[in-house]
Amino acid sequence: MSQVPSKPTDSNHNATTDVTPVVALKELVARLHREQNKIQDLLSSLGFALRSFNNLNQFLELIPLMATRVTDADGSALFLYKPNGQIRLEQLHWQDSQQRKNIRKALETASSQISFLPNSVSPSTSTSILDAQMHQYLGPDVQVFGTAILVKHTERGWLYVLSRDPEYSWTETRQKLVRLVADQTAVAIENDELAVELRKKERLDQELEIGAEIQRRLLPRQCPSIPGVVLAARCKPANRVGGDYYDFIPTNHNHLHPSKNGRPEDASWGLVIGDVMGKGVPAGLIMTMMRGMLRGEVLHGNSPGGILQNLNRVMYADLENSHRFVTLFYSEYDPCKRILSYSNAAHNPPLWWHAATRNVTRLDTEGMLIGLDVHSEYKDAQAQLEPGDTIIYYTDGLTDAAAAGGDRYDEDSFITSFSTACKYCNNPQEIVDYLFDQVEEFIGSDRQNTDDMTLVVLQIL
């Protein structure tokens, strides 16, 4: 009698059916873990590239590849604005090398049909316009998903992922991942622009330093030796290049080429101080131009008023075009007669401390700013200096110096400090140092004056 094969027990059947879901779950977890690791590796590589690459184009080459990998798409395209508003296909990655050429041609054709400036339309509108063009030229078989690249809230381009898979879905995870790649792209663009600006600033700083060095060399390196006189001077620009000017100018060729009948030390010297309206490079350029013209005028042998009149006529057109003016005080000192001849073009009048009476007067004449009126006339005047007398030439950077509370140093405070210095200081250099210390103490040790400051002190022995 044959035996009927026994059916498998319920316990065996349940064991078989229980194993299948467990294995499947483990495989799913393992696959998700691998995908997560892959995405983390790709994003880590992108972050490393962002930190490492100095060339923006090298970094942008990676963007479509990364976007394709993290979203499991067939390809990705990066579009950026040109400065003229045209949209350009910057980079393309496509898995199938045989199809890549056709995809590139379609995308370039699509982007060439669009031109508008960043932020001229809303990001959603501009993206939809590009979407429509891409659908038209790529055809219905290619799905297109994109996100804007925003730099400082300004739309600078778009990052798209492309897929031919009809089952491909634009999941929330994929959206987040491609936006993350787009944000990294925006950071790279911004970093590159900051680096360009930094290089420009460095070049400008170098040029400014060269300009400052040239200006320092144009100012007197030391005061000249004039019989019976001691001189001291200091110029402190608010910026590296300033608009203040002072000079000691030989009035004839005997200073360099003494004749048999004359000694160079007997000749007169021109002492000048000026201030170009404004500060920085423009004022410095005008100051340099004025210096050369003034030195040429001095050699013609005119009076101080005549020199200023000729200088005004020569410089008028250039100053009018630049919308700037110059205040200038020009004087000539005769060491044999101790006479100071002078003329003023609306500059702060120099102060004259009389040793005999210990009072202070101003040296001033009528005259308008250089460059204000081509027909301006300038008056001449003279001062007979006595032993111990002191003359101080200065610019308004000292009298307009402001404290933290807004109070100005003003001319009265300056005259008081000047009188004190003349009574107690031993020489012109000490007077210069004392007055600068007083003004800087008034401003505050932790603050920088906003205007150039210049002092020249002449003292009769």
Side-chain angles (χ1 to χ4, degrees):
M1 183 174 175
S2 63
Q3 294 180 339
V4 179
S6 63
K7 294 181 178 181
T9 63
D10 289 343
S11 60
N12 292 337
H13 177 71
N14 290 340
T16 303
T17 55
D18 286 346
V19 168
T20 303
V22 172
V23 172
L25 183 59
K26 287 182 177 180
E27 290 178 351
L28 178 61
V29 170
R31 182 167 62 83
L32 290 174
H33 188 65
R34 288 193 299 272
E35 287 294 318
Q36 185 180 21
N37 287 340
K38 181 186 76 171
I39 292 172
Q40 288 179 346
D41 290 343
L42 289 171
L43 294 178
S44 295
S45 299
L46 190 62
F48 177 78
L50 180 62
R51 295 190 303 272
S52 304
F53 284 177
N54 294 323
N55 187 311
L56 179 63
N57 291 329
Q58 290 179 343
F59 180 80
L60 295 181
E61 289 176 2
L62 295 176
I63 297 303
L65 172 63
M66 291 294 181
T68 302
R69 295 283 178 84
V70 298
T71 57
D72 293 320
D74 291 321
S76 176
L78 173 64
F79 294 90
L80 294 178
Y81 279 113
K82 289 181 179 179
N84 62 1
Q86 184 70 42
I87 299 170
R88 174 183 62 200
L89 176 63
E90 187 72 25
Q91 297 291 340
L92 171 67
H93 175 75
W94 190 261
Q95 306 279 30
D96 190 334
S97 59
Q98 295 180 347
Q99 299 175 357
R100 188 182 303 128
K101 184 177 181 180
N102 293 333
I103 294 293
R104 176 178 289 278
K105 183 178 180 181
L107 293 176
E108 288 176 343
T109 304
S111 61
S112 67
Q113 307 301 313
I114 308 171
S115 178
F116 44 76
L117 295 175
N119 283 356
S120 59
V121 296
S122 66
S124 58
T125 302
S126 57
T127 304
S128 62
I129 294 172
L130 186 56
D131 286 353
Q133 291 293 112
M134 292 174 67
H135 281 299
Q136 177 181 346
Y137 288 97
L138 288 173
D141 295 337
V142 180
Q143 296 188 68
V144 176
F145 305 94
T147 186
I149 296 171
L150 300 175
V151 178
K152 294 181 179 178
H153 308 291
T154 300
E155 191 177 78
R156 302 295 296 274
W158 301 272
L159 179 62
Y160 282 91
V161 292
L162 315 171
S163 177
R164 286 186 178 274
D165 183 0
E167 302 298 325
Y168 188 87
S169 61
W170 189 227
T171 65
E172 184 177 349
T173 300
R174 286 170 174 166
Q175 292 178 42
K176 289 180 179 179
L177 289 170
V178 79
R179 274 199 296 268
L180 181 60
V181 176
D183 289 342
Q184 294 282 71
T185 307
V187 171
I189 293 172
E190 185 176 5
N191 287 348
D192 182 72
E193 291 175 348
L194 289 174
V196 171
E197 288 299 318
L198 180 61
R199 288 193 291 270
K200 287 181 180 178
K201 184 178 182 301
E202 289 174 347
R203 286 196 296 271
L204 180 60
D205 286 344
Q206 291 176 352
E207 292 170 1
L208 283 174
E209 188 56 42
I210 292 171
E213 178 62 24
I214 291 173
Q215 190 176 51
R216 283 193 294 270
R217 290 179 180 273
L218 289 177
L219 292 175
R221 294 188 181 184
Q222 60 185 21
C223 298
S225 177
I226 302 175
V229 167
V230 181
L231 292 164
R234 186 195 298 182
C235 179
K236 185 178 181 181
N239 303 310
R240 275 181 287 185
V241 179
D244 277 10
Y245 164 64
Y246 77 93
D247 205 355
F248 307 110
I249 306 174
T251 59
N252 58 48
H253 293 288
N254 288 340
H255 290 82
L256 299 177
H257 306 287
S259 64
K260 294 180 180 179
N261 300 323
R263 295 177 299 167
E265 60 267 20
D266 293 336
S268 298
W269 276 84
L271 288 84
V272 59
I273 190 165
D275 188 1
V276 180
M277 186 183 73
K279 298 180 288 295
V281 175
L285 291 173
I286 292 174
M287 183 275 278
T288 303
M289 176 180 68
M290 180 182 68
R291 175 187 182 274
M293 291 182 176
L294 177 60
R295 281 182 160 249
E297 285 295 333
V298 168
L299 293 178
H300 291 163
N302 294 314
S303 68
I307 289 172
L308 292 185
Q309 188 165 319
N310 291 338
L311 181 68
N312 179 64
R313 289 174 179 172
V314 172
M315 293 192 65
Y316 177 78
D318 291 329
L319 290 172
E320 184 183 39
N321 291 335
S322 64
H323 305 289
R324 292 180 183 273
F325 309 103
V326 178
T327 68
L328 195 69
F329 184 94
Y330 178 77
S331 61
E332 289 184 0
Y333 179 70
D334 183 344
C336 296
K337 300 177 181 179
R338 293 203 302 268
I339 292 177
L340 187 72
S341 304
Y342 59 91
S343 184
N344 195 7
H347 191 75
N348 300 80
L351 303 177
W352 177 9
W353 189 78
H354 301 259
T357 60
R358 296 199 166 197
N359 69 325
V360 174
T361 58
R362 294 177 177 85
L363 300 176
D364 201 6
T365 62
E366 294 181 6
M368 299 178 70
L369 297 158
I370 301 293
L372 187 62
D373 181 3
V374 69
H375 300 297
S376 292
E377 293 185 357
Y378 299 90
K379 303 295 184 181
D380 284 296
Q382 288 186 337
Q384 178 65 61
L385 304 184
E386 302 297 336
D389 287 358
T390 303
I391 307 291
I392 187 165
Y393 305 71
Y394 66 98
T395 57
D396 60 7
L398 290 111
T399 52
D400 289 343
D407 296 332
R408 299 286 177 179
Y409 193 68
D410 70 42
E411 189 178 39
D412 290 339
S413 300
F414 185 74
I415 292 174
T416 300
S417 297
F418 174 56
S419 297
T420 301
C422 290
K423 293 173 184 176
Y424 299 109
C425 293
N426 296 317
N427 54 61
Q429 186 60 57
E430 288 188 10
I431 294 175
V432 169
D433 295 340
Y434 175 79
L435 291 174
F436 263 95
D437 289 344
Q438 291 294 302
V439 173
E440 289 171 354
E441 182 180 345
F442 178 82
I443 296 170
S445 58
D446 58 336
R447 299 179 68 249
Q448 172 75 21
N449 196 23
T450 57
D451 199 2
D452 308 328
M453 298 190 295
T454 302
L455 283 179
V456 177
V457 176
L458 176 151
Q459 191 171 70
I460 309 299
L461 295 174

